[in-house]
Amino acid sequence: MLAASRAAADLPVGLLLRAVAFYPGCTGAAKNAIWSPAVPVQILIGESDDWTPAQPCHELAARYPTQVRLIDYPGAYHDFDAPDAPLRMRYGATATGDGYVHLGTNEPARQDALARVPRLLETGGLESR
C-alpha cells in the first residue's frame, strides 16, 4: 500500500484520494529519503508486530505528520484484525533473523479498526489515537 500511495509523476490526479494500510512494511519507505505520500495515509499496526515492525511506521508518521497518521495497538501482532485467529507462530518470514513471527487476532484492536476504517473512508479525515 505504501508503494502504491507514494507521490510519483505518473500518478493520475484523483486516482487515489486516501489510503489505509494494515501492518505495512514501512522500512523501505522510512529509509527512502525521497519517498513521500501522494494522499493521506492511515496506518494501523500492532506494537508487538515482529513481522512488520511498528518503529519504521512511527518514523514515517513523524516525517509526514499531516499526511501519515499511525494508529498503533499495544500488545497486538500481525493479523490483529483477522476474525477468531488464535495467536500462533509462523515460520518462513524472511524479515526476521530466525524466520519466526507471531500472528493472531487482538479483539480490541480488531474492533477499533472495524469502527475506524469506515469513518476514514467516509470522511477522508485521518485520525490519531
Side-chain angles (χ1 to χ4, degrees):
M1 177 49 61
L2 295 181
S5 64
R6 71 173 172 73
D10 61 345
L11 183 67
V13 174
L15 178 65
L16 298 175
L17 300 177
R18 62 192 72 85
V20 178
F22 278 75
Y23 31 85
C26 293
T27 302
K31 288 182 178 179
N32 183 343
I34 63 169
W35 183 91
S36 67
V39 296
V41 178
Q42 182 83 62
I43 296 173
L44 296 94
I45 195 162
E47 275 299 321
S48 296
D49 195 325
D50 51 2
W51 193 344
T52 55
Q55 185 53 42
C57 297
H58 283 283
E59 293 169 19
L60 284 181
R63 191 184 325 162
Y64 300 102
T66 63
Q67 287 289 94
V68 177
R69 292 288 170 80
L70 179 70
I71 304 299
D72 54 348
Y73 298 107
Y77 292 99
H78 208 82
D79 283 350
F80 65 80
D81 61 318
D84 303 317
L87 184 60
R88 64 199 184 283
M89 299 285 291
R90 176 178 174 188
Y91 180 73
T94 58
T96 64
D98 63 4
Y100 286 97
V101 294
H102 294 82
L103 306 165
T105 304
N106 179 294
E107 197 57 35
R110 175 178 152 65
Q111 291 304 316
D112 183 77
L114 287 171
R116 191 179 295 273
V117 170
R119 284 194 310 262
L120 170 69
L121 296 176
E122 288 171 10
T123 67
L126 296 179
E127 296 183 2
S128 297
R129 194 171 271 290

